[in-house]
Amino acid sequence: QLIEHETIKPKDILDKTILNENENEYLYLSSISFILKMKTGPFAEHSPLLNDISAVPYWIKVKSGLLKMYQDHVLKKLPVVQHFLFASILTIDLPPIDKGGNDEKAEILKRKQE
């Protein structure tokens, strides 16, 4: 939203006048305003990443940096289900294992191939 804005720069996010005048128009400024209302103390301490972003000279660089972070921290992560408890909500139906002396590893491989 702010890439083409001529007067509001990333360094202006802590200017209360700019926030009050524009928070209803721009999602980013609305979010910063909300953070400032909810948190106390120096902005650099409770929101260091946002504080670092405010030092970037142009909104286009902010956008590209945030997109790269989103790709690295969200899109490139592969969720792994570990220690998941199967129950009545989510069931798993496996064929019964023949206990007639078959090797357990062979049975597992057989199930995977089916």
Side-chain angles (χ1 to χ4, degrees):
Q1 287 180 313
L2 290 163
I3 288 177
E4 300 295 326
H5 205 284
E6 294 178 11
T7 57
I8 301 175
K9 303 295 179 203
K11 66 181 168 105
D12 297 330
I13 65 166
L14 296 178
D15 185 342
K16 295 204 186 266
T17 307
I18 291 176
L19 284 176
N20 290 334
E21 291 173 358
N22 299 290
E23 68 181 331
N24 294 328
E25 252 183 278
Y26 300 104
L27 180 63
Y28 186 73
L29 297 180
S30 175
S31 301
I32 298 294
S33 181
F34 178 77
I35 290 169
L36 290 172
K37 288 175 188 168
M38 294 294 121
K39 298 198 175 202
T40 59
F43 186 73
E45 287 183 14
H46 61 69
S47 302
L49 187 58
L50 292 172
N51 188 58
D52 292 346
I53 289 171
S54 70
V56 176
Y58 305 108
W59 287 113
I60 193 76
K61 290 193 108 185
V62 171
K63 176 189 171 192
S64 65
L66 289 174
L67 284 175
K68 284 179 189 175
M69 270 185 15
Y70 181 74
Q71 287 176 338
D72 289 341
H73 294 279
V74 177
L75 298 179
K76 289 185 180 177
K77 300 288 182 190
L78 298 174
V80 177
V81 177
Q82 293 181 356
H83 312 293
F84 192 78
L85 182 62
F86 287 91
S88 61
I89 295 173
L90 181 62
T91 60
I92 183 169
D93 296 321
L94 294 174
I97 297 175
D98 182 20
K99 302 268 182 181
N102 290 337
D103 186 33
E104 185 178 347
K105 288 182 182 179
E107 286 295 324
I108 292 171
L109 288 172
K110 182 181 173 184
R111 283 188 202 157
K112 285 184 179 180
Q113 291 172 351
E114 290 177 354

